[in-house]
Amino acid sequence: PQTGEMAFDADDFPFAHYIGRIRRKIAAHWRVPEGSQGEERFCVIYFRIMRDGTVASTAIEQSSGLFIFDQAAQRAVVRSSPMPPLPQEYNDNYLGVHFSFSYKEER
């Protein structure tokens, strides 16, 4: 899996432009922390985007096994708040997002 892969709690979320904006916003805050090199790392952060774009309920859903890597991933999500407001055509009060972060050392 690549950093930036996403799954949603909503069965159907057909807003590709919005998904791209989320991915770019989080990527701007993502830094692989010093000390996580040497092994492949992968974690999933769960969060909710509220109607107004506020990020809430951030949690480490799947740990990489390295605390500093998981914390850096969670921090990237928190620092991305607020996101753009949810599309008007989307009817729920929030969008649940499962966002993956990965690191693979270049050889």
Side-chain angles (χ1 to χ4, degrees):
Q2 296 287 327
T3 295
E5 286 189 6
M6 286 183 262
F8 303 101
D9 289 349
D11 290 336
D12 187 23
F13 190 77
F15 305 100
H17 65 284
Y18 186 83
I19 293 168
R21 291 174 73 189
I22 295 170
R23 187 175 284 123
R24 285 188 298 277
K25 189 139 192 199
I26 293 173
H29 295 280
W30 170 235
R31 303 287 175 272
V32 175
E34 210 53 49
S36 43
Q37 294 80 0
E39 287 187 42
E40 283 188 40
R41 302 283 175 197
F42 177 80
C43 73
V44 177
I45 303 298
Y46 175 80
F47 60 96
R48 290 178 174 175
I49 302 174
M50 309 312 283
R51 284 226 65 79
D52 66 356
T54 303
V55 172
S57 304
T58 309
I60 298 164
E61 183 172 58
Q62 181 183 334
S63 175
S64 67
L66 185 66
F67 181 75
I68 60 170
F69 188 89
D70 297 346
Q71 287 296 108
Q74 192 169 13
R75 191 176 315 118
V77 170
V78 169
R79 288 184 175 165
S80 299
S81 184
M83 295 285 182
L86 290 173
Q88 286 184 331
E89 303 81 13
Y90 180 69
N91 295 321
D92 287 346
N93 290 327
Y94 67 86
L95 176 66
V97 181
H98 308 263
F99 196 96
S100 66
F101 292 83
S102 60
Y103 168 75
K104 186 174 181 179
E105 197 157 300
E106 302 295 321
R107 299 213 179 270

